[in-house]
Amino acid sequence: MVAVTQVVRHVGRGLAALGGTLALVLAGVAGPAAAEPETPVVYPSGASMTSADRLGFDTCTAPSLAALRAWTGTSPYTAVNIYFGGGNRACAQPNLTAAWVRDATAAGWRLLPTYLGYQPSCMLGDKPHRYTASTATARGTSDGTDAVARAKALGLLPGSALYADVEHYDRTDTACRTAVRRYVSAWTRTLHAAGYLAGVYVHQDSGLRDLSATYTSTTYARPDAVWMARWDGKQALTGWPTAPDRQWSLGQRAKQYRGDHDETWGGVRLNIDSDRLRAPVATVARTYRVTSPDALNARRGPGTSYAVARSYAPGTALAVVCQGAGQRVGTTAVWDRLTSGAWVSDYYVSTPSRTGYSGALPRCTYPGQVTADSLNARTGPGVSYPVTGNPLRRGALAPVMCQKTGSRVGGTAVWDRLSDGRWVSDLYVSNRSSTTWSAPVPRCP
């Protein structure tokens, strides 16, 4: 689960001009950022993050679509993991195809992609493929590269979070602890360079402890989300004993709270673990159709002032990734982003709503980790706007929807609008640029 090509992109983000000192204070930031641990994600066109706040389950073999249909509406679960790759994956996956991914998503299920690759040499178990401190970076790189290829083949789009499964291990082995950190760092950088978010599944008493201890280290890239195993029957995503609440604090946590057991819903029994999610998951396109009487123009941004990328005939099927705000057309200001990266007005697409966002589709977001200890969010794009809500903590995955020019903070006048409507200075959100706009994030209307 590492490519180091993106390390240099973020260097210098905190090198503010001397005249920006007062603005930095007013913006409520704690200091400059380095390349590590907040490596930027290089989102390609058509990428978007998808978040899940719900109960889920994980099981070794992906259930059949018939089983998911039986559990839909009868069980408390609306998310399911998929073991989509890795040399240590033990279960056959006869159901797991791109069509299964598409249909499970269309049925309302969120997917938690899990990759069971190389394991630490001191792992407490019998998995055969392992890494040491000297091979961990290479293994993290190769696993990350393979995970991205397998994710794409299944239709898991850039912006998806892919979770490396790091099983419980012996923390008394110091070299092995170093190996885990190197592997996760390599996994994270590799996924970020390919446009994916990096998650990790860890035991509360091994992997979580060690990643928490190096949360602010400039030696290791920090994963975007953690999925902790602690079978205490409690669903809480805060108050964890081995990682403080300030870490992975903004929709970046999942917990496996109950281990191996059988449950029956809708007449179908499955052997599962139970999970509570408030974390990024897979992004999968949904298919809708053009409803306009004439050809529908897809544009390079969410408005008619943007150039036409191509046109679609009435009735054409569209692969919609997410929805964002743009120019009002008819009864709505919602625009749909396609897998190509182009935008179409939702007014002419067969989504459930013609006046607002559709619940089945995620908002288009392009998150970066916060690089300040405490970053104030404001009601508008500038330090003169009031502070609102709680500050964002270091490492929080700020869900950026769009960018707009505002007051200058340090070396940039770019501000980011978050999915909750608040604004933060882009200087302290890791992305592709430290001074200007970051593609493919659109401009705010």
Side-chain angles (χ1 to χ4, degrees), residues 98-140:
W100 184 97
V101 166
R102 180 197 64 218
D103 292 345
T105 299
W109 289 86
R110 294 298 195 215
L111 307 181
L112 192 63
T114 313
Y115 186 92
L116 189 53
Y118 279 84
Q119 295 296 305
S121 59
C122 60
M123 174 198 162
L124 302 174
D126 58 0
K127 298 299 183 185
H129 304 295
R130 305 201 180 196
Y131 55 79
T132 64
S134 63
T135 63
T137 295
R139 295 308 187 193

Side-chain angles (χ1 to χ4, degrees), residues 324-377:
Q327 177 188 348
R328 177 169 290 277
V329 175
T331 58
T332 186
V334 173
W335 284 65
D336 302 332
R337 191 151 205 177
L338 310 180
T339 53
S340 65
W343 296 80
V344 293
S345 170
D346 188 60
Y347 186 70
Y348 296 112
V349 181
S350 65
T351 54
S353 176
R354 294 185 71 193
T355 58
Y357 293 110
S358 295
L361 287 162
R363 305 295 83 81
C364 299
T365 54
Y366 314 89
Q369 291 188 23
V370 172
T371 63
D373 288 338
S374 182
L375 176 61
N376 284 334

Side-chain angles (χ1 to χ4, degrees), residues 39-53:
T39 58
V41 182
V42 183
Y43 294 108
S45 181
S48 181
M49 179 182 75
T50 300
S51 295
D53 187 354

Side-chain angles (χ1 to χ4, degrees), residues 131-204:
Y131 55 79
T132 64
S134 63
T135 63
T137 295
R139 295 308 187 193
T141 301
S142 61
D143 276 358
T145 301
D146 182 60
V148 167
R150 290 177 179 272
K152 289 181 177 179
L154 287 172
L156 309 179
L157 301 174
S160 296
L162 310 180
Y163 288 78
D165 185 332
V166 179
E167 293 292 319
H168 193 27
Y169 56 89
D170 180 7
R171 293 189 68 249
T172 64
D173 187 330
T174 303
C176 191
R177 292 165 61 188
T178 297
V180 169
R181 289 163 172 158
R182 289 176 179 173
Y183 177 92
V184 173
S185 181
W187 167 266
T188 299
R189 289 198 297 264
T190 301
L191 265 60
H192 283 187
Y196 287 78
L197 295 172
V200 60
Y201 168 88
V202 286
H203 193 280
Q204 72 149 358

